[in-house]
């Protein structure tokens, strides 16, 4: 199910049903949003995002809310992808999988440099019923140093958006 | 030190030194940012923020990253204010107090309606050395129902932004 280098890669978020494609963090239809894109990389999930100049905390560094937002949306995307994979079916196949955030935890280890791409890498810790736990590292700067870590409990919801 | 109804209220963030006033979440000088404002209300801290239409998760509801951002910035502002208060001095008096986020935890209890103001209320749980723990509730909708809760460990940093 992984995209291969020879095919145009489609992100987890490219398969979101339309109501989920409006999200400020990850909706492909939200023109003002961040429009993050997440992919499988083996058993990890990866997302690269370049902060905008206004995403400042103190000059030169990324504000914590952006880091939380990226971890949140990358994790819910990863959780949906993990459920498709656990069920042995292709991304976007019916019934569509939708996940929302139950809880989000972020540890800010050091200031995150703003001048360059951030790389989020997700690990699926557990898929249990409708609950998926994802841990994430956020690397930045020329060496990809890990500046923040996160953990998200994502919850699969029904067709009617009910928990 | 509280603002009184008869005086123009100044928010915690109005006293931030210039490098801290650039933050996307709470900097008064970030024209593209959220520019949140936090105040004392007795022993609690309060911040009211009206989401923009693009801050959508699924239509009608606020995306989780905004909620995390508001809890983050309201908490670091509350932490700085709590340190001034613990030291018995006015907001913005020298030496200026600067706090950054050490960790952020958010529990999303229910979808947060986007059509109206959100009210964040912070409680200072502990001021211990350079560490301040703040818990926050986020209420929304006509009844102010609590839709999310959060806890932030904020860290006071030095004049040179060092931890």
């Amino acid at each position: 199910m992984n995209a291969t280098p020879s095919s145009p890669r489609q992100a987890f978020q490219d398969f979101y049903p339309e109501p989920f494609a409006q999200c400020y963090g990850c909706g492909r239809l939200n023109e003002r949003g961040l429009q993050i894109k997440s992919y499988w990389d083996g058993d990890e999930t990866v997302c690269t995002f370049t902060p905008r100049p206004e995403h400042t905390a103190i000059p030169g560094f990324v504000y914590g809310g952006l880091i939380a937002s990226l971890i949140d949306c990358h994790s819910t995307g990863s959780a949906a992808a993990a459920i498709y994979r656990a069920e042995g079916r292709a991304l976007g196949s019916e019934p569509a999988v939708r996940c929302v955030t139950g809880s989000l935890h972020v540890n800010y280890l050091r200031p995150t440099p703003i001048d360059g791409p951030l790389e989020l890498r997700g690990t699926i810790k557990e898929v249990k019923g409708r609950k998926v736990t994802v841990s994430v590292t956020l690397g930045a700067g020329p060496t990809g140093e890990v500046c923040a870590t996160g953990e998200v409990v994502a919850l699969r919801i029904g067709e009617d958006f009910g928990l």
Side-chain angles (χ1 to χ4, degrees), chain A:
Chain A
M1 279 186 293
N2 289 359
T4 62
S6 59
S7 68
R9 290 208 303 175
Q10 280 195 294
F12 303 160
Q13 293 85 4
D14 293 331
F15 297 100
Y16 282 1
E18 202 154 309
F20 271 60
Q22 313 289 338
C23 175
Y24 186 85
C26 55
R28 66 185 178 278
L29 303 179
N30 190 322
E31 290 179 7
R32 293 176 179 269
L34 307 176
Q35 299 199 356
I36 73 160
K37 303 286 183 190
S38 304
Y39 305 91
W40 283 115
D41 180 16
D43 287 336
E44 290 188 338
T45 62
V46 65
C47 166
T48 303
F49 182 84
T50 301
R52 302 173 187 162
E54 63 265 29
H55 290 148
T56 297
I58 57 175
F61 300 101
V62 179
Y63 93 108
L66 178 72
I67 291 168
S69 299
L70 297 175
I71 289 173
D72 181 11
C73 282
H74 178 58
S75 294
T76 51
S78 298
I83 290 173
Y84 282 116
R85 184 176 266 196
E87 295 183 354
R89 58 195 181 93
L91 282 168
S93 60
E94 293 293 331
V97 177
R98 304 165 167 88
C99 290
V100 296
T101 312
S103 68
L104 164 70
H105 189 91
V106 183
N107 289 313
Y108 298 91
L109 306 179
R110 54 183 58 82
T112 299
I114 201 169
D115 54 346
L118 312 177
E119 185 180 80
L120 295 108
R121 299 195 74 85
T123 302
I124 309 300
K125 291 183 69 176
E126 188 178 45
V127 181
K128 190 174 181 181
R130 63 187 191 84
K131 193 171 94 171
V132 183
T133 306
V134 183
S135 66
V136 176
T137 60
L138 183 146
T143 63
E145 187 174 34
V146 174
C147 298
T149 61
E151 185 162 301
V152 167
V153 175
L155 303 170
R156 182 180 187 170
I157 63 173
E159 298 282 320
D160 59 352
F161 305 135
L163 288 175

